[in-house]
Amino acid sequence: MRALKIAATGMTAQQTRVEVISNNLANMSTTAYNARRAEFSDLHYQQLAKPGTINASDGTVLPTGVQLGLGVRPTSVSVQLSQGSLTQTNSDLDVAIEGRGYLEITMPDGPASYTRDGSLKRNGEGLIVTADGFAVAPEIVIPEDASSISINADGEVYAYFNDRVEPEVLGQFTLAAFTNERGLEAIGSNLFRETEASGPAVIGDPGTDGLGRLKQGYLEDSSVDAVREVTELIEAQRGYELNAKVITAADQMMAATSQVR
Amino acid sequence: MDNAIYATLTRQAGLRREMQVIANNIANASTDGFQKEGLVFSEYVQRMDDSDLSLSMAHAEGRMIDRAQGQLTRTNGTFDLAIEGDGYFMVEAPNGPELTRAGHFTPNADGELIASDGARLLDIGGAPVFVPPDAMSVGVAADGTLSADGRAITQIGIYMPGDVNEMRRSAGVRFSVDGVVQPLEGARVVQGFIESSNVDPVTEVARMIEVQRAYEQSAKFISNEHDRILSAIDILGR
């Protein structure tokens, strides 16, 4: 009874799907998190009779032949790219990216990483860093005596002082874009690395070359749609049960055979 | 054994195969672009020796691919493509070109669109589809024309085999075709959508119950036939 083993591959695949869904739901409140989706593909097919085989009994040619499939396997877990909604935080150093692009982050070890999580902080040296303390590239230093910081849509950063009217230009945020954002490798903590599949980072100023713009005082929510995830969860659970039902049916068929005598 | 049991055994062998087909359909109920499989039984007739009687047996001889449209699910992926209506994408598999409706592609480092196992998507001329790595926005029109930043680059090919009976399944939701494959006129491609599997679980479960019960009936029949022969021997041997 191959049906038993085939249904088992189906159950494994649906289980993977449930794991991906549970990770999405766990990250419902993670800043700038993008939902992921499990994808499947069918397995090898057994050729029982090739199309074009001559039928032994009467010499006719079989038009289609018989091929039996052997089940399913998970092939990839891909990122669903969509903009999450923006939530106002009123913090000077929170920037949301509206549209395409990632902030470039300098890692203490190894190559740069990229993030859409714009909940930035100021460290002891005055440097603008991520919540984990990694510096944002290009580096921007906030003077000790600055009273407030303003970041405009094009990424220009200004500092205001209590004893002066004119603001001081501190620097310029840039954004990185990739041909294939889905090819980025997630390394945790909302950070991504470029890979062969993503292509190299193309750096530009916000608002140019199809890059998004910055919005100070806002953060991007996760793009997880709870309703959609729950519908997927129901589908996955029912899929799992259906495959279990096939196992039961195949088992009963085997029982019928063994009870002949 | 007598012929009644032989005929019933062929029926059982066919039902086991059909069960395997149903199991594979249900296992692939969440596989994007999967087209469900059916099995065709035929009668296998054998003339009995020197009489006009004949013996008929069931034999699972053929199969069919159900080409009904699966549901389209919005993913917003730039390189997620679904086909509305008939037709298949063509990818370059290791053993030559293969057809598929699973339209989830990603560009590789060279900018060529590939399926999840690395097989390259082919255009209307049979060449790999290339997307410039520095393209900021990529659009695919309904006729498969792919444009980057507003400039048309290539046309993704939608193909149809000359004879659908020549399609053979291979792993990865694909078909290899032994005969002619032509580009399909008037095909419709939708960007940002993926076609779900066209397996309808309700129908499959109904078929499965049917197969299971038929199988059990056959087993019961063989059991009864066995008892009948036993009692015949018993009575005649007295």
Side-chain angles (χ1 to χ4, degrees):
Chain A
M1 266 299 181
R2 288 199 204 87
L4 275 177
K5 289 197 180 72
I6 294 168
T9 65
M11 285 173 87
T12 314
Q14 297 294 357
Q15 193 178 326
T16 309
R17 200 170 162 199
V18 172
E19 281 155 10
V20 172
I21 294 167
S22 64
N23 185 50
N24 284 344
L25 288 172
N27 281 295
M28 258 185 77
S29 314
T30 305
T31 308
Y33 174 85
N34 268 326
R36 283 159 175 75
R37 190 164 170 265
E39 281 155 9
F40 307 113
S41 106
D42 51 2
L43 289 171
H44 182 71
Y45 282 80
Q46 251 187 318
Q47 303 278 354
L48 291 184
K50 272 210 165 106
T53 306
I54 305 288
N55 189 340
S57 55
D58 51 9
T60 49
V61 174
L62 295 186
T64 56
V66 182
Q67 284 185 293
L68 293 179
L70 296 175
V72 64
R73 71 188 170 97
T75 42
S76 71
V77 174
S78 71
V79 182
Q80 306 292 294
L81 295 166
S82 56
Q83 174 95 35
S85 51
L86 304 186
T87 305
Q88 194 163 13
T89 62
N90 290 330
S91 156
D92 269 359
L93 285 177
D94 281 346
V95 275
I97 304 166
E98 262 192 307
R100 275 186 80 175
Y102 291 78
L103 291 169
E104 189 182 343
I105 308 297
T106 312
M107 301 301 281
D109 51 339
S113 63
Y114 302 88
T115 186
R116 281 183 67 90
D117 175 2
S119 54
L120 304 173
K121 309 279 180 281
R122 176 173 179 276
N123 74 0
E125 285 95 59
L127 204 60
I128 295 185
V129 295
T130 65
D132 291 329
F134 304 129
V136 176
E139 289 189 358
I140 295 170
V141 178
I142 302 172
E144 280 281 338
D145 53 346
S147 62
S148 70
I149 299 293
S150 151
I151 302 166
N152 71 11
D154 300 334
E156 289 157 350
V157 186
Y158 300 93
Y160 288 88
F161 301 91
N162 288 333
D163 51 359
R164 271 179 280 163
V165 180
E166 286 81 41
E168 182 188 323
V169 180
L170 299 182
Q172 158 90 47
F173 276 120
T174 56
L175 289 178
F178 301 88
T179 316
N180 175 28
E181 288 181 37
R182 288 174 154 185
L184 291 169
E185 176 198 7
I187 53 174
S189 310
N190 291 347
L191 298 172
F192 295 89
R193 266 206 200 116
E194 75 174 52
T195 64
E196 281 225 334
S198 70
V202 182
I203 310 275
D205 290 343
T208 61
D209 295 337
L211 287 167
R213 290 169 173 276
L214 299 186
K215 216 170 153 76
Q216 187 186 20
Y218 286 84
L219 285 178
E220 185 184 354
D221 295 342
S222 92
S223 68
V224 176
D225 173 358
V227 176
R228 190 185 153 162
E229 296 301 325
V230 171
T231 359
E232 279 249 350
L233 183 62
I234 293 170
E235 271 182 26
Q237 188 187 346
R238 293 293 172 237
Y240 193 86
E241 285 167 8
L242 280 172
N243 282 294
K245 212 157 212 50
V246 175
I247 289 185
T248 313
D251 174 37
Q252 284 168 350
M253 279 166 75
M254 280 157 77
T257 298
S258 66
Q259 285 159 7
V260 163
R261 263 317 286 141
Chain B
M1 273 200 299
D2 72 338
N3 290 328
I5 291 186
Y6 274 128
T8 315
L9 278 177
T10 62
R11 170 80 174 131
Q12 280 198 310
L15 286 168
R16 282 172 84 113
R17 268 186 198 185
E18 180 150 25
M19 188 67 186
Q20 195 181 334
V21 170
I22 295 168
N24 190 49
N25 284 345
I26 290 181
N28 282 293
S30 310
T31 303
D32 294 334
F34 182 79
Q35 296 187 310
K36 67 173 183 274
E37 181 92 345
L39 207 56
V40 183
F41 286 93
S42 60
E43 193 186 29
Y44 173 68
V45 182
Q46 192 171 15
R47 280 212 42 190
M48 314 281 280
D49 23 67
D50 59 46
S51 73
D52 289 338
L53 288 173
S54 64
L55 171 65
S56 161
M57 299 192 184
H59 186 47
E61 193 103 73
R63 40 180 277 281
M64 53 195 188
I65 297 157
D66 186 331
R67 302 207 320 281
Q69 176 91 44
Q71 207 182 343
L72 299 189
T73 314
R74 187 168 190 82
T75 62
N76 290 329
T78 311
F79 303 111
D80 284 351
L81 308 171
I83 300 173
E84 260 193 309
D86 244 341
Y88 296 87
F89 297 111
M90 196 186 267
V91 296
E92 192 181 37
N95 312 325
E98 289 184 347
L99 301 178
T100 182
R101 278 180 77 94
H104 177 69
F105 300 102
T106 44
N108 63 8
D110 303 331
E112 291 160 336
L113 288 189
I114 53 171
S116 56
D117 67 343
R120 298 188 290 187
L121 176 67
L122 301 176
D123 67 10
I124 203 96
V129 173
F130 171 81
V131 178
D134 55 356
M136 276 297 168
S137 70
V138 175
V140 178
D143 65 351
T145 304
L146 186 143
S147 43
D149 298 331
R151 278 184 310 110
I153 293 179
T154 174
Q155 190 177 0
I156 295 167
I158 304 296
Y159 295 88
M160 200 68 204
D163 177 4
V164 290
N165 288 334
E166 287 176 333
M167 292 166 73
R168 269 190 304 147
R169 286 177 183 267
S170 59
V173 216
R174 298 201 192 127
F175 299 96
S176 56
V177 183
D178 299 332
V180 192
V181 177
Q182 305 127 335
L184 182 71
E185 289 294 317
R188 271 183 54 83
V189 182
V190 204
Q191 187 185 17
F193 284 84
I194 285 281
E195 184 181 359
S196 307
S197 162
N198 71 358
V199 173
D200 169 24
V202 180
T203 321
E204 295 303 316
V205 170
R207 270 180 70 202
M208 185 176 81
I209 294 170
E210 220 178 329
V211 168
Q212 188 192 335
R213 295 302 169 223
Y215 189 90
E216 284 166 2
Q217 276 172 357
S218 309
K220 187 91 190 110
F221 179 87
I222 292 174
S223 183
N224 290 345
E225 191 65 4
H226 181 80
D227 292 344
R228 186 180 67 82
I229 296 167
L230 267 190
S231 63
I233 292 169
D234 203 32
I235 293 164
L236 294 173
R238 273 183 202 154

